[in-house]
Amino acid sequence: AKDGSVGLDANSTPATKDIVTGIETVAPLFHLLNGDLCYANLDVDRVRTWNNFFTNNTRSARFRPWMPAAGNHEIEKQNGPIGLGAYQAYFRLPSTETDPELQGLWYAFTAGSVRVIVLQNDDNCLQDGGDYYVSGYSGGRQLKWLERELAAARHSRDIDWIVVAMHQVMISTSDANGSDLGLRQKYGPLFDRYGVDLVLCGHEHDYERSLAVRGVVGGSETLTPNPVSDKKDVIDSAKGTVHMILGGGGVSGNTNGKFFNDGTGKVIVAVSDKPDPNSGKRVSTYVREKAVWSAVRDIEHPYGFASFTVDPGRHRGDITSMYVTYYNVNKPNGDLTVFEKFTLQRRRSDG
């Protein structure tokens, strides 16, 4: 700061502590953390900010795996070839990538009948959100890996559920970052072809979920996801993918007060060729769309997290269910209340 003081954890609030306590109250098998873990790239003392992040979450991570996706704020200046060196050093992940530059940036694991696929979106999105603009850094390797993973999961008789965890978003009705056309172009056809059940994101600092979507609205220049049903409580995920934005992990700049209230969202459709001299970032071009896919938003509460419980069913070919609960972590005392519950269902793949 100009007065000589050191800014630390500038993007953190006391809710980051309450979220960890809340997760331990639910005590899941593992916890997915969808990017922008501590915003160290924005702080003066990045190492100390990372240290504070681990000091906080070790209260939970010592009991259960915390499985991260790298977001745009993990891309730090002077931190390896694409800025992700700190993230790659801090986390040991089940990556199959042999190139050290790409190690740990995307990976997958199986829990019961669920295949979880974790992506690093700055490779495939348009928006310029990190210390470096690294769009396309893998030369298509990540996308090829994703398609192989999706195909293997959907053809396996042991896997019923495909869950994708990533940072930037394909759906949003917040006047913050907005949806990213790059992800819709590259991921949308793959998620449709292989019947992804659930996509979990961060990036927007709010909570929103979509109806089940498959394909795009005809004639839409923004590739608007097409809702296949208006059901919000019990959803057949074999017919469409539900997207969830879980961005209420304790960050200071909430966007739950920035939702458009006219039934629209905004989509990044391009970025400038060169960075803006003032911001140092490539400028996004936005187009508004009718958010026909939007199902539920939490306008009132900034902070929260979701839990997922899988009922595998009783016999071959039975119906399997995933029960989803979204909890608010309430200011100022961190108590939990249930904001909403819904259920995903599909037929088991061993039928």
Side-chain angles (χ1 to χ4, degrees), residues 146-226:
L146 171 62
E147 177 149 29
R148 285 197 306 272
E149 276 294 329
L150 290 171
R154 196 41 83 210
H155 294 138
S156 167
R157 291 171 70 84
D158 298 321
I159 301 294
D160 298 325
W161 298 95
I162 302 177
V163 175
V164 172
M166 62 192 201
H167 183 62
Q168 289 93 332
V169 299
M170 293 167 67
I171 63 111
S172 174
T173 59
S174 180
D175 190 12
N177 293 293
S179 310
D180 199 296
L181 182 63
L183 300 181
R184 289 182 175 183
Q185 288 169 329
K186 291 170 182 172
Y187 294 163
L190 293 178
F191 292 175
D192 290 343
R193 188 176 312 145
Y194 298 105
V196 169
D197 297 283
L198 190 59
V199 178
L200 306 174
C201 305
H203 205 42
E204 307 288 45
H205 302 163
D206 52 48
Y207 173 68
E208 182 166 21
R209 73 172 164 103
S210 76
L211 298 165
V213 294
R214 178 74 40 92
V216 299
V217 173
S220 146
E221 63 173 325
T222 55
L223 303 181
T224 305
N226 181 54

Side-chain angles (χ1 to χ4, degrees), residues 39-314:
Y39 300 84
N41 77 310
L42 300 180
D43 277 347
V44 173
D45 189 338
R46 292 184 285 183
V47 173
R48 192 181 303 186
T49 296
W50 273 109
N51 189 49
N52 291 349
F53 165 79
F54 286 113
T55 301
N56 179 28
N57 78 23
T58 191
R59 296 180 295 129
S60 171
R62 62 186 178 152
F63 297 119
R64 61 203 83 256
W66 277 46
M67 307 302 287
N72 49 293
H73 285 287
E74 274 68 72
I75 298 170
E76 303 178 28
K77 277 192 179 115
Q78 300 169 318
N79 229 317
I82 46 178
L84 285 156
Y87 174 85
Q88 290 166 301
Y90 282 126
F91 295 100
R92 191 172 172 187
L93 300 165
S95 168
T96 55
E97 185 51 65
T98 52
D99 183 340
E101 186 176 310
L102 304 177
Q103 187 81 30
L105 299 185
W106 50 86
Y107 62 94
F109 62 96
T110 301
S113 61
V114 183
R115 187 67 170 166
V116 180
I117 298 172
V118 181
L119 302 177
Q120 205 296 310
N121 279 355
D122 292 88
D123 188 18
N124 287 301
C125 69
L126 293 171
Q127 190 183 27
D128 182 359
D131 284 358
Y132 303 117
Y133 189 59
V134 295
S135 181
Y137 67 74
S138 83
R141 268 164 84 154
Q142 183 173 192
L143 265 184
K144 287 191 185 109
W145 173 89
L146 171 62
E147 177 149 29
R148 285 197 306 272
E149 276 294 329
L150 290 171
R154 196 41 83 210
H155 294 138
S156 167
R157 291 171 70 84
D158 298 321
I159 301 294
D160 298 325
W161 298 95
I162 302 177
V163 175
V164 172
M166 62 192 201
H167 183 62
Q168 289 93 332
V169 299
M170 293 167 67
I171 63 111
S172 174
T173 59
S174 180
D175 190 12
N177 293 293
S179 310
D180 199 296
L181 182 63
L183 300 181
R184 289 182 175 183
Q185 288 169 329
K186 291 170 182 172
Y187 294 163
L190 293 178
F191 292 175
D192 290 343
R193 188 176 312 145
Y194 298 105
V196 169
D197 297 283
L198 190 59
V199 178
L200 306 174
C201 305
H203 205 42
E204 307 288 45
H205 302 163
D206 52 48
Y207 173 68
E208 182 166 21
R209 73 172 164 103
S210 76
L211 298 165
V213 294
R214 178 74 40 92
V216 299
V217 173
S220 146
E221 63 173 325
T222 55
L223 303 181
T224 305
N226 181 54
V228 292
S229 161
D230 59 4
K231 284 194 160 183
K232 298 178 186 177
D233 49 354
V234 180
I235 298 158
D236 181 353
S237 70
K239 292 187 174 156
T241 303
V242 172
H243 293 250
M244 296 178 75
I245 296 176
L246 298 160
V251 70
S252 55
N254 317 120
T255 56
N256 59 300
K258 292 187 173 181
F259 284 120
F260 292 113
N261 55 17
D262 60 357
T264 69
K266 69 180 188 182
V267 184
I268 301 166
V269 295
V271 291
S272 59
D273 290 337
K274 292 183 178 150
D276 174 82
N278 296 317
S279 69
K281 298 263 192 289
R282 292 172 192 238
V283 180
S284 295
T285 300
Y286 295 97
V287 170
R288 294 288 281 279
E289 71 176 4
K290 281 188 181 165
V292 292
W293 41 261
S294 186
V296 176
R297 315 186 294 182
D298 187 354
I299 292 168
E300 199 179 326
H301 310 91
Y303 302 121
F305 64 93
S307 74
F308 307 86
T309 304
V310 174
D311 177 348
R314 300 293 168 270

